Amino acid sequence: MSLPAGSIIADAPCGTGRLAEPLLAVGYRVHGLDISDEMLDVARQRLRGFQERFTCEVADVKTSRPNEPLYDAALCARVLMHFPLDQQVEFLAGVATLSRTTVVINHSLDSVYHRLRRRVKRWLGHQASANYPVSNADIKELLQRSGLREVRRYRLVSLVSEAVYIVAERIAVSPQAT
Ligand SMILES: C[S@@+](CC[C@H](N)C(=O)[O-])C[C@H]1O[C@@H](n2cnc3c(N)ncnc32)[C@H](O)[C@@H]1O
């Protein structure tokens, strides 16, 4: 994704602004959405130095749908893996309506290897980091049902991490289809 500095990114959900911070630091504007005003209060405090380049609002991303996309891109991080697939679709479809084109998500990948790794971690007493990790087929369904198409995928240290980062773009809807 190459977005010019000054572009505005929707961070949904924003949480405490952990990921908004590096985006603001490299010159983007960020609008955070989160269902929890308490989380946003922490973000407001953390990001007050960026002044009006950071704005935020309380919103339920699963149900609120803007009339038109107001942002150049949207980020959806560290949330989808906490819901069953149908609710992931509700959430991501909401995020997709915020962005004019690009949506970046992260998720937890489910594979034989990662299932085994998770089982070993559970034996060792570690808590599961994702309740609803997804297979490649799930990712395809999730994106498609949310009106998105995968453009690029990134894995960092795939042997020790199940995290997957996906750059997607909105599927254009033809006028006849609406
Ligand atoms: C683990 S935090 C991740 C926040 C941020 N993306 C990050 O990576 O730090 C998950 C956030 O999702 C928010 N959340 C859960 N359900 C939501 C919903 N339906 N609409 C908006 N935010 C929601 C929670 O309030 C919480 O702040």
Side-chain angles (χ1 to χ4, degrees):
M1 175 175 74
S2 91
L3 274 180
S7 298
I8 182 155
I9 299 173
D11 182 9
C14 171
T16 60
R18 209 178 60 100
L19 298 178
E21 189 166 25
L23 295 173
L24 289 158
V26 295
Y28 294 121
R29 292 176 291 147
V30 175
H31 184 73
L33 301 99
D34 202 285
I35 202 164
S36 159
D37 203 24
E38 287 75 27
M39 297 293 256
L40 290 178
D41 261 343
V42 179
R44 286 184 196 100
Q45 278 303 311
R46 179 201 287 250
L47 305 171
R48 64 186 182 282
F50 294 100
Q51 297 175 349
E52 71 283 351
R53 287 208 290 120
F54 175 71
T55 53
C56 61
E57 68 180 295
V58 175
D60 182 343
V61 175
K62 281 183 183 164
T63 55
S64 59
R65 299 281 185 273
N67 293 331
E68 54 175 338
L70 297 174
Y71 307 96
D72 297 312
L75 171 67
C76 180
R78 297 203 309 141
V79 70
L80 296 172
M81 61 290 278
H82 301 306
F83 305 123
L85 191 62
D86 282 346
Q87 290 183 40
Q88 294 182 29
V89 171
E90 275 180 88
F91 201 103
L92 190 57
V95 175
T97 62
L98 298 169
S99 170
R100 285 188 266 273
T101 52
T102 306
V103 175
V104 178
I105 72 168
N106 93 320
H107 217 307
S108 293
L109 206 54
D110 198 20
S111 65
V112 174
Y113 169 73
H114 286 110
R115 271 197 294 280
L116 184 66
R117 224 182 134 256
R118 245 177 258 129
R119 196 171 300 164
V120 171
K121 282 179 83 178
R122 263 200 308 276
W123 281 336
L124 296 173
H126 294 276
Q127 228 188 343
S129 54
N131 294 325
Y132 298 95
V134 283
S135 64
N136 281 318
D138 293 332
I139 291 177
K140 199 169 167 199
E141 180 181 343
L142 170 64
L143 293 176
Q144 199 171 39
R145 289 175 60 196
S146 305
L148 295 167
R149 140 183 119 74
E150 181 168 340
V151 176
R152 207 164 301 137
R153 183 182 289 215
Y154 299 93
R155 303 284 317 277
L156 304 176
V157 278
S158 56
L159 276 184
V160 289
S161 169
E162 58 199 55
V164 58
Y165 302 83
I166 294 171
V167 180
E169 64 184 18
R170 289 187 67 173
I171 299 165
V173 181
S174 70
Q176 288 99 328
T178 56

